Amino acid sequence: MTSRGTSRAPLLLITPAFAVVFVLAAYSLFWLIQLSLTDLTFGQPFDQGVPVGLENFRWLLFDPSSTFWPAARLTGIYVLGTLVPELVLGLGIALLLNRQMRLRSVYTAALIIPIVLMPAMVGMIARLYFSHDGLINFGIETLAGVKLNWGGRELALMAVILVDIWEWTPFFILILLAGLQTLPVEAYEAAKVDGASNWQAFRHITLPMLLPLILTALVLRFMDVLRIFDVIFAMFGGGPGTATTTLPLYIYRTTMLAEDVGRGSAASVMLIVMIVASTLLLVRLRQRVMFQA
Amino acid sequence: MTMFRTVAAIGALTLGTWTSIGQAQDFDAWAENVRAANEGKEVVVAVASHPSVEAFKTMIPAFEEATGIKVTLDEMEEGQLGQKLTLEVSSGTTSYDAVMTAIERNPKVASAGYIEPLEPWLNDPEKTPDWFDYADILPAYSDMFLWDGQHYAIPFAGETVFLFYRKDLFEKHGLSVPSTYDELLETAAFFDDNEDNVNGVSFRARLGWEFTYTWSIFLFPFDGRMVDPETGKPDLTAPGTAASLDYMRKLAEHAPVGVESYSFPEAWDAFMLGKAAMMVEASAAAPEVENPDKSLVAGNVGYAPLPAGPAGAFSGVWGWGLGMTAASENKDATWALITYLTGRGTQDDYLANGGIPSRSSSLGDSALQAELPYYGATLDTLKQAAALNEKGLGVVLPLPEWGQFSDIMGTDGARAFIGEIPVDEAVTSMQAQAEDLLGK
């Protein structure tokens, strides 16, 4: 009786949370998949979609007019272009902040500011900063005597990547700094006794011990960055041309502006599959690393 | 204080505006009738942020006072309003009695039965007083809301596109206003080369509907086509379509850096800050351009109809109107509000509070024309828009699918504009997508 009671208790406890998640997520997902298999124009009643099987997926993947692949490629560039610098910078700054220094808590607190700002607001302000006569070009002109066309085809994606790096590097700093502060001092003392250099201590002690945390931060950010929308939307709306149309922008434009609910839903399904598949891979990798550690 | 202002407003209205056209008694009788049937009712209106809506806000208290009808405005950004209306059409429900609708959206909301044809009200002298004067609204504007032979909204803010130019700079260099698109290109290049920190021409070219908006201005003078006027089938591969895109690419070389990301506020700012000698933009920008608080070039600007291309000189018509939802339970009260806000009898109040005109009595008024130089240019440019309509063409296709069609043009057109894909490829791709949408 007692043992059965205890085994049922956790189940009962998670049921409400599970039910909420199920209703909100699973039901919407089911609805989304159903829409992705229909031909439906935004503005038509939702139950009037004409079933078309996998035609929307075929069009997105293979039709010459579709710009799904360029959008997927841009998303890939965006993910790498933001995550790698954010991780490297984040780790570097976390290492610096991990030393004994004055006002450390002030610096750390200030780092939260970009993260808590409303992304749409960040996008609107960045749109002004990156305009031709904006603050960024003022700085560059003062230092190098040239002005760059951030709103142009070549640099627009770079501009949104820079904003993302500014906004989200602190996320890595805060997580990695917390991790650094929990590392055992003994390991470093032993390494010092053995005559290890700072680099060797970092390479053989800090990095391996921090790796699970790095991967956790990467997984969290990765899921987030794949569906980034607000900042890009506010800065360039996906343009010029399609220079900043990453997949979330592509989905928005297809569904709300091209008014093609079927194709937009199909693209959403593919984005979800991509996010889930690559997150599972990263989680796997993290487990392997943890296991080896 | 508000009460005082309201009473004062009614007083001014009754004594000033109304006696001047001798219809004060008509207004009082009308208000009494409306009050008798509708007192205590509420009218909820969905509106976009717009100068004319600001004028409405100042007019509504007097309406409420005179009729006993309560008015609630639900104001949102233009794009949001469009998506909200589309969602309401999809779900078949509405929370509004009246909605602000635009030419681009009319076929969709009208064909879905979301808004009501207004002829039964317009033709009923009991409900539509003489001072409303529907015939005074420029036909170019009232026809924007025509669907299946009936009108679905009353226009209040009409818009066309014309050429803004810096009179001071043109005088300084002894230049005349370009009358052809070749001259426009040459003049733009001239300013690029001869004036420091001033580029030739500004316009909007951001990905999506804003690109389509500007392109539709350049399209027809080069004999480009969206659809064949005879068959209604997509005709984007007409040679002029590609030619007009090529021209825009050339013109962009003389526009401020970053024009490919310009939305209309950036395009207007560039001109108002003196960074462009000319601008091809909406007439709605003119009041801002002439506002010395916002514009460095106020008072130095001339307005002209658009130059001619190989196929002629054309412009287009856009604009906003008020429509009544079919599901409204207070239709008479809603109609009373629409007549009040858009009528000729209340027009002076509307214009004095910053409303954008759409009536011939205001745009054709010689005193107003002398005071506001863009009134004359607006009327001249509307003739260019009428010339386009006579050919069976228009800058907006009167189809429920216009949103999608416009996005096809605004996406591939913008890609070709910045050189992401060749112009030929863009045109072929657009034609394929348009055929997919409308049939071959």
Side-chain angles (χ1 to χ4, degrees):
Chain A
M1 178 67 201
T2 325
S3 71
R4 276 182 65 192
T6 12
S7 68
R8 207 180 275 172
L11 202 65
L12 281 174
L13 286 170
I14 64 162
T15 303
F18 182 77
V20 170
V21 169
F22 184 79
V23 170
L24 289 179
Y27 177 71
S28 324
L29 187 63
F30 170 76
W31 190 221
L32 181 73
I33 293 172
Q34 200 177 11
L35 284 174
S36 75
L37 303 174
T38 61
D39 179 7
L40 177 71
T41 303
F42 186 49
Q44 269 180 304
F46 284 123
D47 53 4
Q48 280 185 13
V50 181
V52 290
L54 295 172
E55 166 59 21
N56 291 324
F57 292 91
R58 186 207 64 79
W59 189 89
L60 287 171
L61 296 174
F62 303 114
D63 195 278
S65 297
S66 158
T67 50
F68 178 82
W69 285 116
R73 192 180 66 92
L74 276 186
T75 310
I77 297 175
Y78 188 82
V79 168
L80 286 177
T82 53
L83 289 191
V84 173
E86 281 169 22
L87 174 63
V88 172
L89 279 171
L91 183 59
I93 297 174
L95 286 169
L96 286 176
L97 284 174
N98 194 34
R99 300 169 175 207
Q100 288 303 323
M101 62 163 76
R102 289 172 60 194
L103 299 176
R104 186 168 77 177
S105 56
V106 177
Y107 295 138
T108 317
L111 286 172
I112 297 176
I113 294 173
I115 300 180
V116 298
L117 287 178
M118 202 177 6
M121 198 72 89
V122 170
M124 297 298 283
I125 295 170
R127 181 172 171 179
L128 292 175
Y129 279 9
F130 279 93
S131 67
H132 194 61
D133 296 312
L135 195 66
I136 305 288
N137 263 353
F138 175 75
I140 296 176
E141 196 182 18
T142 312
L143 294 174
V146 288
K147 276 179 162 183
L148 301 177
N149 180 13
W150 294 102
R153 181 183 160 199
E154 291 81 11
L155 289 178
L157 188 67
M158 174 67 96
V160 288
I161 285 177
L162 286 175
V163 174
D164 195 285
I165 293 174
W166 170 80
E167 195 179 5
W168 289 103
T169 300
F171 175 82
F172 281 94
I173 302 175
L174 292 173
I175 289 196
L176 298 182
L177 183 60
L180 283 171
Q181 287 171 349
T182 61
L183 295 187
V185 188
E186 295 82 5
Y188 291 95
E189 284 169 352
K192 218 174 216 176
V193 171
D194 289 344
S197 67
N198 278 348
W199 167 247
Q200 282 169 325
F202 172 75
R203 170 78 185 75
H204 296 289
I205 301 175
T206 313
L207 209 52
M209 293 213 288
L210 214 52
L211 202 53
L213 209 56
I214 291 178
L215 285 171
T216 308
L218 271 179
V219 170
L220 288 174
R221 262 312 279 149
F222 179 77
M223 290 189 289
D224 212 30
V225 85
L226 263 180
R227 52 191 185 82
I228 181 89
F229 176 81
D230 340 36
V231 173
I232 304 182
F233 179 74
M235 280 180 80
F236 299 116
T242 50
T244 57
T245 304
T246 55
L247 279 177
L249 267 290
Y250 179 80
I251 292 166
Y252 165 77
R253 294 188 48 77
T254 306
T255 314
M256 307 298 278
L257 304 179
E259 302 185 356
D260 196 323
V261 178
R263 285 176 190 165
S265 304
S268 296
V269 170
M270 286 197 276
L271 178 63
I272 291 173
V273 169
M274 280 181 207
I275 293 180
V276 171
S278 32
T279 308
L280 283 179
L281 268 178
L282 272 173
V283 170
R284 265 276 177 76
L285 182 67
R286 182 175 165 274
Q287 276 166 345
R288 186 175 291 175
V289 167
M290 302 258 287
F291 182 70
Q292 282 174 350
Chain B
M1 183 62 195
T2 316
M3 184 64 198
F4 172 76
R5 275 221 312 260
T6 309
V7 174
I10 297 172
L13 207 63
T14 322
L15 296 174
T17 313
W18 297 98
T19 42
S20 69
I21 53 174
Q23 285 165 337
Q25 287 170 336
D26 287 359
F27 177 78
D28 289 342
W30 171 83
E32 273 314 306
N33 282 341
V34 172
R35 178 183 275 278
N38 300 291
E39 186 167 12
K41 289 188 178 160
E42 186 184 6
V43 175
V44 186
V45 193
V47 293
S49 304
H50 189 275
S52 293
V53 171
E54 293 306 310
F56 289 163
K57 286 181 195 165
T58 62
M59 297 165 71
I60 284 171
F63 172 80
E64 291 179 320
E65 186 71 22
T67 62
I69 296 170
K70 181 174 165 24
V71 180
T72 306
L73 294 185
D74 185 9
E75 184 175 345
M76 59 202 96
E77 185 270 325
E78 191 176 322
Q80 265 184 328
L81 175 68
Q83 287 162 18
K84 180 143 197 170
L85 294 192
T86 308
L87 265 180
E88 290 211 331
V89 171
S90 295
S91 63
T93 57
T94 184
S95 35
Y96 302 111
D97 298 292
V99 293
M100 184 162 152
T101 173
I103 180 174
E104 301 93 318
R105 219 161 282 136
N106 189 57
K108 179 168 257 177
V109 289
S111 66
Y114 174 73
I115 54 175
E116 189 85 354
L118 298 175
E119 263 70 11
W121 276 268
L122 283 168
N123 297 333
D124 183 346
E126 293 274 308
K127 290 175 177 158
T128 305
D130 286 346
W131 55 260
F132 175 67
D133 199 358
Y134 187 61
D136 178 46
I137 297 175
L138 289 164
Y141 290 146
S142 41
D143 287 351
M144 292 191 298
F145 298 105
L146 203 54
W147 175 256
D148 217 6
Q150 292 192 291
H151 293 87
Y152 280 78
I154 304 298
F156 57 84
E159 185 176 305
T160 181
V161 168
F162 51 47
L163 181 71
F164 297 66
Y165 63 95
R166 285 279 300 279
K167 281 189 297 189
D168 51 341
L169 293 181
F170 273 70
E171 271 165 32
K172 176 178 159 191
H173 296 284
L175 295 171
S176 53
V177 181
S179 60
T180 66
Y181 276 114
D182 285 341
E183 286 174 24
L184 180 74
L185 192 62
E186 282 165 24
T187 313
F190 176 87
F191 282 114
D192 247 12
D193 296 340
N194 293 292
E195 274 290 329
D196 286 344
N197 300 318
V198 177
N199 290 110
V201 61
S202 176
F203 51 88
R204 67 185 84 171
R206 195 177 170 95
L207 170 71
W209 72 268
E210 294 185 281
F211 187 83
T212 309
Y213 182 96
T214 302
W215 187 14
S216 67
I217 285 301
F218 292 105
L219 181 69
F220 298 107
F222 288 88
D223 219 14
R225 289 288 180 275
M226 296 181 189
V227 294
D228 185 312
E230 308 258 304
T231 63
K233 302 292 180 199
D235 192 17
L236 288 150
T237 38
T241 309
S244 62
L245 263 180
D246 283 329
Y247 179 82
M248 282 180 76
R249 283 170 56 87
K250 281 187 219 149
L251 196 61
E253 290 169 17
H254 309 295
V257 179
V259 69
E260 60 271 42
S261 293
Y262 272 15
S263 195
F264 67 90
E266 283 105 347
W268 297 7
D269 276 350
F271 186 74
M272 294 195 294
L273 293 173
K275 290 195 284 184
M278 295 178 286
M279 174 163 85
V280 176
E281 261 298 336
S283 53
E288 303 240 335
V289 165
E290 293 296 340
N291 179 350
D293 293 335
K294 291 185 177 173
S295 164
L296 297 178
V297 299
N300 285 324
V301 179
Y303 305 86
L306 291 173
F314 305 110
S315 187
V317 178
W318 290 265
W320 292 99
L322 280 175
M324 178 155 63
T325 58
S328 166
E329 287 172 2
N330 295 323
K331 290 205 175 88
D332 284 341
T334 306
W335 179 246
L337 176 70
I338 294 176
T339 46
Y340 182 82
L341 294 177
T342 61
R344 181 176 178 176
T346 46
Q347 185 180 220
D348 289 354
D349 219 16
Y350 170 75
L351 294 175
N353 286 301
I356 309 290
S358 62
R359 289 178 164 270
S360 49
S361 55
S362 51
L363 284 165
D365 184 305
S366 51
L368 283 173
Q369 280 183 357
E371 191 185 331
L372 303 165
Y374 47 89
Y375 270 35
T378 304
L379 283 178
D380 290 343
T381 311
L382 283 174
K383 288 180 196 146
Q384 296 184 325
L388 187 63
N389 286 342
E390 276 163 25
K391 297 182 76 172
L393 302 167
V395 288
V396 173
L397 295 177
L399 299 172
E401 294 90 353
W402 168 247
Q404 293 148 282
F405 198 98
S406 156
D407 192 65
I408 291 170
M409 288 180 68
T411 304
D412 280 336
R415 292 174 73 202
F417 180 65
I418 64 160
E420 195 178 298
I421 48 173
V423 169
D424 294 348
E425 189 185 322
V427 167
T428 316
S429 161
M430 281 185 285
Q431 176 72 9
Q433 293 175 74
E435 285 175 353
D436 193 21
L437 180 69
L438 301 179
K440 286 187 185 180

